[in-house]
């Protein structure tokens, strides 16, 4: 018995659960350890064509994991280049932030990653600015430096800036809703960013004309200087010394008078001895600057024992003679 031949050209794929022709561009994946796949290519004795082509190999690698999220934006005061460093924006040795190739040449086309973050409190001073200016009414639609403030302000700048003739005065904020949206910075002018506010700066260029670019300095404002000391004045005079405390003087005077009577044997005479003691106490207070006042009514000291007291009164002399007569009388009677 002769073997029947096929009447067409085809490929029979065995081992994948179907014998129908494969779909063009479809991938068949077989895991390790599964049954093999058999491809049966057959032709008849009539028309021929281009045939087929298939690719066989290891399965493709899994897709790479998504890139990590960008690092959080810095929060420290000052200027930070967040994208495009060395490709769109450069930092000079003295700290100036400038467009790529400045000052040696012009910036490049197709810049879309020049991003700068400025956190306040900070100061910005432009020393050069020259970007292509184009678009209707100078809308800066070609090359521009755009600034967006967290305080709500926005400014897009292009063209060539000039210096202010009077010099660099401090202006409160390069971005302000009261200022035109499209303008130029004044070279040599320091613009301040208050604390708690941030600027997002974007440098973008198109595919046409290029210019020299921009350059600005960024820093943190210095704190105000301390107040100047007062002028040198002579020292104040020393205070007067306190007055001396008051002095209290106490004077005590004692006077003793003694009378002695001698009694003879004849008629009995009573002898009376009288002692008189007088004590005088005088207290004087001496105030500062006032001399002490002598006591009033102070008696003189009594004479020493054995001295006679001079008699200077007639009344005292009369009493003396009366006493003598009485004594003589008593003696005669005796």
């Amino acid at each position: 018995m002769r073997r029947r031949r096929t009447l067409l050209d085809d490929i029979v794929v065995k081992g994948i659960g179907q014998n129908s022709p494969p779909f063009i561009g479809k991938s068949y994946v077989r895991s390790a350890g599964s049954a093999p796949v058999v491809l049966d290519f057959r032709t008849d004795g009539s028309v021929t064509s281009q045939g087929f082509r298939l690719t066989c190999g290891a399965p493709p690698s899994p897709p790479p994991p998504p890139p990590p999220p960008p690092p959080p934006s810095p929060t420290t005061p000052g200027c930070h280049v967040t994208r495009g460093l060395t490709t769109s924006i450069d930092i000079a040795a003295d700290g100036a932030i400038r467009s790529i190739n400045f000052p040696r040449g012009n910036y490049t086309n197709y810049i879309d990653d020049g991003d700068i973050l400025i956190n306040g409190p900070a100061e910005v001073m432009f020393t050069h600015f020259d970007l292509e200016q184009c678009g209707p009414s100078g809308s800066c639609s070609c090359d521009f430096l755009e600034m967006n403030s967290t305080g709500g302000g926005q400014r897009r700048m292009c063209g060539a800036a000039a210096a202010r003739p009077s010099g660099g005065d401090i202006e409160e904020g390069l971005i302000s809703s009261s200022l035109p949206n499209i303008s130029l910075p004044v070279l040599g002018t320091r613009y301040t960013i208050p604390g708690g506010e941030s600027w997002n700066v974007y440098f973008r260029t198109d595919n046409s004309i290029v210019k020299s670019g921009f350059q600005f300095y960024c820093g943190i404002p210095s704190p105000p200087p301390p107040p100047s000391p007062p002028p040198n004045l002579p020292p104040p005079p020393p205070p007067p010394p306190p007055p001396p405390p008051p002095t209290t003087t106490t004077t005590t005077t004692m006077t003793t008078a003694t009378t002695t009577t001698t009694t003879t044997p004849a008629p009995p005479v009573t002898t009376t001895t009288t002692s008189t003691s007088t004590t005088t106490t005088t207290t004087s207070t001496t105030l500062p600057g006032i001399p002490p006042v002598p006591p009033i009514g102070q008696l003189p000291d009594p004479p020493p024992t054995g001295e006679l007291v001079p008699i200077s009164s007639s009344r005292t002399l009369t009493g003396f003679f009366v006493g003598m007569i009485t004594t003589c009388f008593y003696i005669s009677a005796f």
Side-chain angles (χ1 to χ4, degrees):
M1 183 176 181
R2 299 183 60 182
R3 186 175 182 180
R4 184 179 180 182
R5 296 178 58 88
T6 181
L7 300 178
L8 51 85
D9 302 341
D10 62 358
I11 296 177
V12 178
V13 180
K14 300 178 180 179
I16 59 174
Q18 63 181 0
N19 293 332
S20 61
F23 295 98
I24 297 176
K26 183 178 180 180
S27 298
Y28 298 90
V29 178
R30 303 293 290 175
S31 60
S34 60
V37 176
V38 178
L39 279 72
D40 190 1
F41 176 45
R42 294 171 297 178
T43 64
D44 60 4
S46 61
V47 182
T48 60
S49 184
Q50 295 178 350
F52 67 90
R53 185 181 68 178
L54 63 85
T55 302
C56 180
S61 301
S73 300
T75 58
T76 55
C79 298
H80 312 275
V81 179
T82 56
R83 282 205 316 160
L85 183 61
T86 70
T87 59
S88 304
I89 299 174
D90 190 17
I91 299 179
D94 60 354
I97 298 178
R98 57 197 185 184
S99 56
I100 196 69
N101 299 330
F102 181 85
R104 300 178 304 274
N106 297 335
Y107 54 80
T108 59
N109 288 322
Y110 301 107
I111 292 178
D112 62 352
D113 60 349
D115 297 351
I116 305 170
L117 175 64
I118 306 177
N119 293 324
E123 290 180 348
V124 174
M125 182 181 67
F126 282 86
T127 58
H128 182 83
F129 193 92
D130 187 10
L131 303 181
E132 178 194 5
Q133 182 175 359
C134 68
S137 301
S139 59
C140 298
S141 58
C142 295
D143 302 342
F144 57 86
L145 191 68
E146 182 176 291
M147 296 187 174
N148 296 316
S149 170
T150 55
Q154 182 181 12
R155 172 173 290 188
R156 178 176 287 191
M157 299 179 293
C158 62
R164 172 175 295 177
S166 61
D169 297 328
I170 296 179
E171 294 185 2
E172 289 296 334
L174 181 63
I175 302 175
S176 175
S177 57
S178 62
L179 298 177
N181 184 37
I182 301 171
S183 59
L184 288 172
V186 179
L187 304 184
T189 298
R190 290 184 297 166
Y191 298 95
T192 60
I193 300 95
E197 186 172 326
S198 298
W199 292 0
N200 293 303
V201 183
Y202 306 107
F203 178 40
R204 300 293 186 265
T205 64
D206 64 357
N207 59 346
S208 59
I209 302 172
V210 292
K211 296 283 186 174
S212 57
F214 64 88
Q215 175 176 275
F216 66 86
Y217 288 86
C218 179
I220 301 174
S222 302
S228 58
N232 293 329
L233 299 177
T247 303
T248 303
T249 304
T250 302
T251 304
T252 302
T253 304
M254 299 182 64
T255 304
T256 304
T258 304
T259 304
T260 305
T261 304
T262 305
T263 305
T264 57
V269 178
T270 304
T271 302
T272 304
T273 302
T274 304
S275 260
T276 302
S277 177
T278 303
T279 302
T280 303
T281 302
T282 302
T283 302
S284 63
T285 301
T286 303
L287 298 177
I290 302 178
V293 179
I296 301 176
Q298 179 174 339
L299 299 179
D301 296 334
T305 305
E307 295 184 4
L308 297 178
V309 178
I311 300 175
S312 59
S313 174
S314 60
R315 181 179 299 177
T316 305
L317 184 60
T318 303
F320 173 75
F321 282 112
V322 172
M324 291 296 296
I325 295 174
T326 306
T327 302
C328 292
F329 175 78
Y330 282 126
I331 294 174
S332 299
F334 180 76

